[in-house]
Amino acid sequence: MPELPEVETIRRILTNGSPDSPSLPGRRINAVSLFNPGSLADPAPDVFTSFLIGRKIETLGRRSKFLLIGLDEGTLLFHLRMSGNLFVEPELSSEYDSPPPRPHDRLHVHLDNQSRLVFNDTRKFGRFWLAANPASVLSKLGPEPFDPALTEEQFFRRLRKHKRQLKPLLMDQSFLAGLGNIYTDEALFRAGLHPLTLSNRVTASQARLLLKSIRETLQAGIDHNGSSIDWVYGGGNFQNYFNVYQQSGKPCPQCGQPIERIVVGQRGTHFCPLCQPYLREET
DNA sequence: CCTGAAACCTGTCTGC
DNA sequence: TGCAGACAGGTTTCAG
Protein backbone atom coordinates (compact mmCIF):
# COMPACT_ATOMS: atom_id res chain seq x y z
CA MET A 1 0.00 0.00 0.00
CA PRO A 2 2.80 2.43 0.43
CA GLU A 3 3.28 5.41 -1.82
CA LEU A 4 3.52 8.95 -0.52
CA PRO A 5 -0.22 9.44 0.21
CA GLU A 6 -0.50 6.16 2.12
CA VAL A 7 2.58 6.90 4.23
CA GLU A 8 1.30 10.41 4.91
CA THR A 9 -2.04 8.93 6.00
CA ILE A 10 -0.29 6.58 8.41
CA ARG A 11 1.80 9.46 9.75
CA ARG A 12 -1.36 11.42 10.53
CA ILE A 13 -3.04 8.47 12.23
CA LEU A 14 0.01 7.77 14.39
CA THR A 15 0.29 11.46 15.25
CA ASN A 16 -3.33 12.18 16.10
CA GLY A 17 -4.51 8.75 17.13
CA SER A 18 -7.99 7.37 16.47
CA PRO A 19 -10.74 5.85 18.62
CA ASP A 20 -8.94 2.50 18.82
CA SER A 21 -5.39 3.67 18.28
CA PRO A 22 -3.66 5.92 20.85
CA SER A 23 -1.38 8.62 19.49
CA LEU A 24 2.38 8.17 19.64
CA PRO A 25 3.94 11.52 20.63
CA GLY A 26 4.76 11.63 24.32
CA ARG A 27 4.91 7.86 24.77
CA ARG A 28 7.93 6.14 26.28
CA ILE A 29 9.21 2.78 25.05
CA ASN A 30 9.10 -0.02 27.62
CA ALA A 31 10.17 -3.03 25.58
CA VAL A 32 10.82 -4.25 22.05
CA SER A 33 9.95 -7.57 20.39
CA LEU A 34 11.78 -8.22 17.13
CA PHE A 35 10.19 -11.18 15.36
CA ASN A 36 12.07 -10.95 12.07
CA PRO A 37 15.65 -9.67 12.39
CA GLY A 38 15.89 -9.46 8.59
CA SER A 39 13.48 -6.52 8.63
CA LEU A 40 15.95 -4.53 10.72
CA ALA A 41 18.36 -2.75 8.38
CA ASP A 42 20.58 -1.10 10.98
CA PRO A 43 22.01 -1.41 13.63
CA ALA A 44 22.42 -4.96 15.00
CA PRO A 45 19.40 -6.32 16.93
CA ASP A 46 20.94 -6.10 20.40
CA VAL A 47 22.05 -2.50 19.92
CA PHE A 48 18.67 -1.62 18.39
CA THR A 49 16.70 -3.07 21.29
CA SER A 50 18.82 -1.79 24.15
CA PHE A 51 18.96 1.71 22.70
CA LEU A 52 15.19 1.95 22.17
CA ILE A 53 14.18 0.92 25.68
CA GLY A 54 13.53 4.02 27.78
CA ARG A 55 13.44 6.38 24.76
CA LYS A 56 10.60 8.86 24.45
CA ILE A 57 8.69 9.39 21.18
CA GLU A 58 8.53 13.10 20.35
CA THR A 59 7.67 13.69 16.68
CA LEU A 60 6.22 11.94 13.62
CA GLY A 61 7.61 12.92 10.24
CA ARG A 62 7.67 11.78 6.64
CA ARG A 63 10.22 12.05 3.82
CA SER A 64 8.90 10.61 0.55
CA LYS A 65 7.84 7.07 1.47
CA PHE A 66 9.84 6.95 4.71
CA LEU A 67 8.09 7.36 8.03
CA LEU A 68 10.27 9.05 10.66
CA ILE A 69 9.71 8.64 14.38
CA GLY A 70 11.75 11.25 16.21
CA LEU A 71 12.95 10.15 19.66
CA ASP A 72 14.45 12.13 22.53
CA GLU A 73 17.65 10.68 21.11
CA GLY A 74 17.93 9.34 17.56
CA THR A 75 15.31 8.58 14.90
CA LEU A 76 13.42 5.41 14.04
CA LEU A 77 12.78 5.15 10.28
CA PHE A 78 10.41 2.78 8.46
CA HIS A 79 10.07 1.97 4.77
CA LEU A 80 6.96 -0.13 4.05
CA ARG A 81 7.99 -1.27 0.57
CA MET A 82 5.24 -3.46 -0.95
CA SER A 83 3.22 -4.88 1.91
CA GLY A 84 4.25 -3.16 5.13
CA ASN A 85 1.85 -1.56 7.57
CA LEU A 86 2.26 0.39 10.82
CA PHE A 87 -0.38 0.81 13.48
CA VAL A 88 -0.90 1.15 17.23
CA GLU A 89 -3.13 -1.24 19.15
CA PRO A 90 -4.03 -1.69 22.83
CA GLU A 91 -2.26 -4.28 24.95
CA LEU A 92 -3.97 -5.78 27.96
CA SER A 93 -2.53 -4.80 31.30
CA SER A 94 -1.67 -8.34 32.39
CA GLU A 95 1.56 -9.43 30.80
CA TYR A 96 0.12 -12.92 30.57
CA ASP A 97 -2.83 -11.71 28.54
CA SER A 98 -1.11 -9.55 25.98
CA PRO A 99 -2.31 -10.60 22.53
CA PRO A 100 0.13 -12.84 20.64
CA PRO A 101 1.71 -11.58 17.42
CA ARG A 102 -0.51 -12.11 14.40
CA PRO A 103 0.94 -13.67 11.25
CA HIS A 104 3.54 -11.42 9.59
CA ASP A 105 4.09 -9.17 12.61
CA ARG A 106 7.78 -8.27 12.33
CA LEU A 107 8.18 -5.84 15.24
CA HIS A 108 6.32 -4.82 18.38
CA VAL A 109 7.31 -1.67 20.25
CA HIS A 110 5.67 -1.80 23.67
CA LEU A 111 4.67 1.60 25.05
CA ASP A 112 4.06 3.02 28.50
CA ASN A 113 0.28 3.33 28.08
CA GLN A 114 -0.37 -0.36 27.54
CA SER A 115 -0.41 -0.04 23.80
CA ARG A 116 2.07 -1.19 21.16
CA LEU A 117 3.31 -0.01 17.82
CA VAL A 118 3.12 -2.90 15.32
CA PHE A 119 5.05 -3.30 12.09
CA ASN A 120 3.33 -5.97 10.00
CA ASP A 121 4.76 -6.93 6.60
CA THR A 122 3.60 -9.99 4.67
CA ARG A 123 6.32 -10.03 2.05
CA LYS A 124 9.24 -9.05 4.31
CA PHE A 125 10.41 -6.37 1.86
CA GLY A 126 9.93 -3.57 4.38
CA ARG A 127 12.84 -2.26 6.46
CA PHE A 128 13.44 -0.16 9.55
CA TRP A 129 16.47 1.72 10.82
CA LEU A 130 17.58 3.35 14.03
CA ALA A 131 19.85 6.28 13.17
CA ALA A 132 21.51 9.12 15.03
CA ASN A 133 20.99 11.24 11.93
CA PRO A 134 18.14 10.30 9.53
CA ALA A 135 19.92 12.03 6.66
CA SER A 136 22.31 9.10 6.53
CA VAL A 137 19.42 6.85 5.44
CA LEU A 138 17.72 9.42 3.18
CA SER A 139 20.75 10.76 1.35
CA LYS A 140 19.92 9.35 -2.10
CA LEU A 141 16.41 10.81 -2.33
CA GLY A 142 15.48 13.42 -4.89
CA PRO A 143 13.23 16.42 -4.22
CA GLU A 144 9.94 16.10 -2.34
CA PRO A 145 7.06 16.65 -4.80
CA PHE A 146 5.35 19.33 -2.68
CA ASP A 147 8.56 21.22 -1.91
CA PRO A 148 7.99 24.81 -3.13
CA ALA A 149 11.70 24.94 -3.91
CA LEU A 150 10.96 22.55 -6.78
CA THR A 151 9.82 25.04 -9.40
CA GLU A 152 8.29 24.29 -12.79
CA GLU A 153 11.39 25.64 -14.48
CA GLN A 154 13.65 23.44 -12.35
CA PHE A 155 11.48 20.38 -12.97
CA PHE A 156 11.61 21.04 -16.71
CA ARG A 157 15.39 21.28 -16.63
CA ARG A 158 15.68 18.05 -14.64
CA LEU A 159 13.50 16.26 -17.21
CA ARG A 160 15.59 17.54 -20.11
CA LYS A 161 18.80 16.46 -18.45
CA HIS A 162 17.86 12.82 -18.98
CA LYS A 163 16.77 10.82 -21.99
CA ARG A 164 14.56 8.33 -20.22
CA GLN A 165 11.01 7.04 -20.49
CA LEU A 166 8.77 9.14 -18.24
CA LYS A 167 7.29 6.23 -16.28
CA PRO A 168 10.56 4.76 -14.97
CA LEU A 169 12.05 8.23 -14.52
CA LEU A 170 9.17 9.46 -12.35
CA MET A 171 9.40 6.29 -10.27
CA ASP A 172 13.14 6.78 -9.77
CA GLN A 173 13.31 8.04 -6.18
CA SER A 174 16.55 9.92 -6.82
CA PHE A 175 14.79 11.93 -9.55
CA LEU A 176 11.62 12.63 -7.57
CA ALA A 177 10.83 11.08 -4.19
CA GLY A 178 7.39 9.71 -3.41
CA LEU A 179 5.69 8.44 -6.55
CA GLY A 180 5.02 4.72 -7.04
CA ASN A 181 3.18 2.69 -9.63
CA ILE A 182 -0.36 3.91 -8.92
CA TYR A 183 0.24 7.63 -8.67
CA THR A 184 2.66 7.68 -11.61
CA ASP A 185 0.07 6.15 -13.93
CA GLU A 186 -2.62 8.49 -12.62
CA ALA A 187 -0.40 11.59 -12.89
CA LEU A 188 0.64 10.77 -16.47
CA PHE A 189 -3.01 10.35 -17.41
CA ARG A 190 -3.89 13.67 -15.84
CA ALA A 191 -1.07 15.29 -17.80
CA GLY A 192 -2.02 13.56 -21.06
CA LEU A 193 1.46 12.09 -21.46
CA HIS A 194 2.27 8.59 -22.70
CA PRO A 195 4.36 6.61 -20.17
CA LEU A 196 7.02 5.85 -22.80
CA THR A 197 7.53 9.50 -23.76
CA LEU A 198 11.22 10.35 -23.56
CA SER A 199 11.95 12.95 -20.93
CA ASN A 200 14.10 15.11 -23.21
CA ARG A 201 11.16 15.45 -25.65
CA VAL A 202 8.88 17.04 -23.06
CA THR A 203 8.14 20.71 -23.73
CA ALA A 204 8.15 23.43 -21.10
CA SER A 205 4.36 23.60 -21.02
CA GLN A 206 4.08 19.81 -20.78
CA ALA A 207 6.57 19.82 -17.90
CA ARG A 208 4.57 22.50 -16.13
CA LEU A 209 1.37 20.48 -16.56
CA LEU A 210 3.11 17.28 -15.45
CA LEU A 211 4.36 18.77 -12.18
CA LYS A 212 0.92 20.22 -11.54
CA SER A 213 -0.67 16.84 -12.29
CA ILE A 214 1.72 15.03 -9.95
CA ARG A 215 0.89 17.41 -7.11
CA GLU A 216 -2.86 17.27 -7.74
CA THR A 217 -2.84 13.47 -7.96
CA LEU A 218 -0.86 13.07 -4.73
CA GLN A 219 -3.06 15.62 -2.95
CA ALA A 220 -6.20 13.80 -4.08
CA GLY A 221 -4.70 10.57 -2.73
CA ILE A 222 -3.96 12.23 0.62
CA ASP A 223 -7.44 13.78 0.74
CA HIS A 224 -8.94 10.28 0.37
CA ASN A 225 -6.57 8.80 2.99
CA GLY A 226 -4.70 6.82 0.34
CA SER A 227 -5.73 3.74 -1.64
CA SER A 228 -6.85 0.39 -0.23
CA ILE A 229 -6.22 -2.56 -2.50
CA ASP A 230 -6.32 -6.30 -1.83
CA TRP A 231 -5.93 -7.49 1.72
CA VAL A 232 -3.46 -4.83 2.86
CA TYR A 233 -4.54 -1.71 4.72
CA GLY A 234 -8.11 -0.55 4.94
CA GLY A 235 -8.16 3.15 5.56
CA GLY A 236 -8.51 5.08 2.34
CA ASN A 237 -10.76 4.98 -0.68
CA PHE A 238 -8.78 6.66 -3.45
CA GLN A 239 -9.02 3.35 -5.35
CA ASN A 240 -12.60 4.40 -6.16
CA TYR A 241 -11.25 7.37 -8.09
CA PHE A 242 -8.64 5.69 -10.30
CA ASN A 243 -8.84 6.85 -13.91
CA VAL A 244 -6.47 4.29 -15.39
CA TYR A 245 -4.69 2.21 -12.74
CA GLN A 246 -6.00 -1.38 -12.97
CA GLN A 247 -8.74 -0.18 -15.30
CA SER A 248 -7.61 -2.18 -18.36
CA GLY A 249 -10.41 -2.59 -20.87
CA LYS A 250 -12.72 -0.15 -19.13
CA PRO A 251 -13.68 3.03 -20.96
CA CYS A 252 -11.49 6.08 -20.44
CA PRO A 253 -13.44 8.54 -18.26
CA GLN A 254 -12.50 11.33 -20.66
CA CYS A 255 -12.98 9.82 -24.14
CA GLY A 256 -14.45 6.33 -23.73
CA GLN A 257 -11.58 4.54 -25.44
CA PRO A 258 -10.63 1.28 -23.63
CA ILE A 259 -7.74 1.71 -21.18
CA GLU A 260 -4.66 -0.28 -22.20
CA ARG A 261 -2.10 -2.11 -20.09
CA ILE A 262 1.54 -2.58 -21.04
CA VAL A 263 4.63 -3.53 -19.04
CA VAL A 264 7.27 -0.85 -18.54
CA GLY A 265 10.30 -1.51 -16.38
CA GLN A 266 8.66 -4.73 -15.17
CA ARG A 267 5.68 -2.77 -13.83
CA GLY A 268 2.10 -2.93 -15.04
CA THR A 269 1.38 0.39 -16.74
CA HIS A 270 -2.07 1.71 -17.56
CA PHE A 271 -2.98 4.52 -19.94
CA CYS A 272 -5.50 5.81 -22.46
CA PRO A 273 -4.19 5.43 -26.02
CA LEU A 274 -6.20 8.45 -27.20
CA CYS A 275 -5.70 10.90 -24.32
CA GLN A 276 -2.03 9.93 -23.93
CA PRO A 277 -0.80 9.54 -27.52
CA TYR A 278 2.64 8.06 -28.05
CA LEU A 279 4.65 10.51 -30.12
CA ARG A 280 7.64 8.64 -31.45
CA GLU A 281 10.93 10.43 -31.63
CA GLU A 282 11.76 11.66 -35.13
CA THR A 283 14.85 10.00 -36.54
C1' DC B 1 23.81 6.91 -19.46
C1' DC B 2 19.83 3.77 -20.30
C1' DT B 3 16.96 -0.55 -20.35
C1' DG B 4 15.66 -4.96 -18.93
C1' DA B 5 15.95 -8.83 -16.00
C1' DA B 6 16.57 -11.01 -11.65
C1' DA B 7 16.36 -11.11 -6.77
C1' DC B 8 14.24 -10.37 -2.33
C1' DC B 9 9.17 -12.71 -0.19
C1' DT B 10 4.20 -14.24 0.44
C1' DG B 11 -0.35 -14.44 -1.04
C1' DT B 12 -4.33 -14.23 -4.39
C1' DC B 13 -6.53 -14.97 -8.54
C1' DT B 14 -7.19 -17.09 -13.19
C1' DG B 15 -7.28 -20.57 -16.49
C1' DC B 16 -6.68 -25.24 -18.00
C1' DT C 1 -10.07 -30.21 -7.15
C1' DG C 2 -5.33 -29.38 -8.40
C1' DC C 3 -1.76 -26.96 -10.21
C1' DA C 4 1.04 -23.82 -12.97
C1' DG C 5 1.54 -19.18 -14.02
C1' DA C 6 0.66 -14.31 -13.71
C1' DC C 7 0.45 -10.62 -10.80
C1' DA C 8 0.86 -7.36 -6.61
C1' DG C 9 1.46 -0.34 -3.76
C1' DG C 10 9.23 -1.13 -3.91
C1' DT C 11 14.15 -1.14 -4.26
C1' DT C 12 18.79 -2.93 -5.33
C1' DT C 13 22.05 -5.03 -8.27
C1' DC C 14 23.88 -6.67 -12.41
C1' DA C 15 24.35 -7.61 -17.53
C1' DG C 16 24.29 -5.74 -22.10
Side-chain angles (χ1 to χ4, degrees):
Chain A
M1 70 179 194
E3 295 181 41
L4 188 155
E6 288 74 30
V7 179
E8 175 62 18
T9 300
I10 290 175
R11 188 195 67 76
R12 293 179 180 185
I13 293 172
L14 296 182
T15 304
N16 302 319
S18 74
D20 36 36
S21 159
S23 65
L24 279 185
R27 300 277 58 77
R28 204 170 277 282
I29 296 172
N30 280 348
V32 173
S33 306
L34 177 61
F35 303 108
N36 182 55
S39 300
L40 172 59
D42 198 65
D46 53 338
V47 179
F48 177 79
T49 301
S50 60
F51 187 92
L52 277 186
I53 292 172
R55 294 278 72 75
K56 187 176 178 185
I57 295 174
E58 294 187 335
T59 58
L60 272 291
R62 179 189 59 75
R63 171 74 167 100
S64 71
K65 305 175 191 175
F66 287 83
L67 188 90
L68 284 63
I69 300 182
L71 310 170
D72 51 0
E73 196 182 340
T75 304
L76 190 53
L77 300 93
F78 287 87
H79 196 302
L80 277 32
R81 297 281 177 93
M82 291 288 263
S83 59
N85 199 3
L86 266 178
F87 53 92
V88 176
E89 64 181 0
E91 274 188 311
L92 297 183
S93 53
S94 163
E95 57 186 294
Y96 302 107
D97 286 334
S98 93
R102 79 212 74 217
H104 317 305
D105 277 3
R106 309 305 181 193
L107 175 74
H108 287 177
V109 178
H110 308 273
L111 306 170
D112 61 0
N113 63 344
Q114 300 169 54
S115 70
R116 65 190 183 197
L117 173 68
V118 177
F119 177 64
N120 184 281
D121 181 24
T122 304
R123 294 175 71 178
K124 294 184 184 168
F125 287 165
R127 291 290 182 271
F128 43 85
W129 296 253
L130 175 64
N133 177 10
S136 62
V137 179
L138 309 172
S139 62
K140 290 176 184 168
L141 291 177
E144 193 73 15
F146 290 117
D147 187 347
L150 178 62
T151 64
E152 294 168 343
E153 172 61 26
Q154 198 179 56
F155 184 64
F156 176 53
R157 273 189 273 117
R158 286 174 67 83
L159 283 172
R160 300 291 297 225
K161 212 163 58 183
H162 301 275
K163 185 177 181 178
R164 293 180 60 183
Q165 300 167 339
L166 284 183
K167 167 91 186 235
L169 181 60
L170 293 177
M171 290 185 62
D172 183 335
Q173 301 298 299
S174 66
F175 178 79
L176 185 69
L179 286 178
N181 210 32
I182 293 178
Y183 294 92
T184 301
D185 280 6
E186 293 295 325
L188 284 170
F189 171 79
R190 194 181 276 250
L193 290 167
H194 192 285
L196 296 179
T197 305
L198 291 176
S199 57
N200 67 332
R201 303 278 301 171
V202 171
T203 67
S205 64
Q206 286 176 325
R208 194 179 318 126
L209 177 59
L210 179 55
L211 182 59
K212 184 168 176 277
S213 301
I214 289 169
R215 287 172 167 163
E216 287 173 352
T217 303
L218 290 173
Q219 189 58 54
I222 293 171
D223 291 343
H224 290 282
N225 300 314
S227 315
S228 310
I229 301 181
D230 300 335
W231 70 101
V232 187
Y233 187 58
N237 64 335
F238 188 60
Q239 71 278 8
N240 299 328
Y241 300 88
F242 290 165
N243 288 304
V244 290
Y245 183 77
Q246 285 186 347
Q247 306 299 306
S248 318
K250 295 182 187 169
C252 167
Q254 265 177 43
C255 75
Q257 188 78 7
I259 299 301
E260 288 184 14
R261 179 186 185 276
I262 59 177
V263 175
V264 181
Q266 301 183 98
R267 309 304 300 274
T269 299
H270 317 74
F271 66 99
C272 170
L274 276 191
C275 298
Q276 300 165 266
Y278 183 32
L279 306 175
R280 300 188 53 134
E281 187 169 19
E282 308 294 329
T283 50

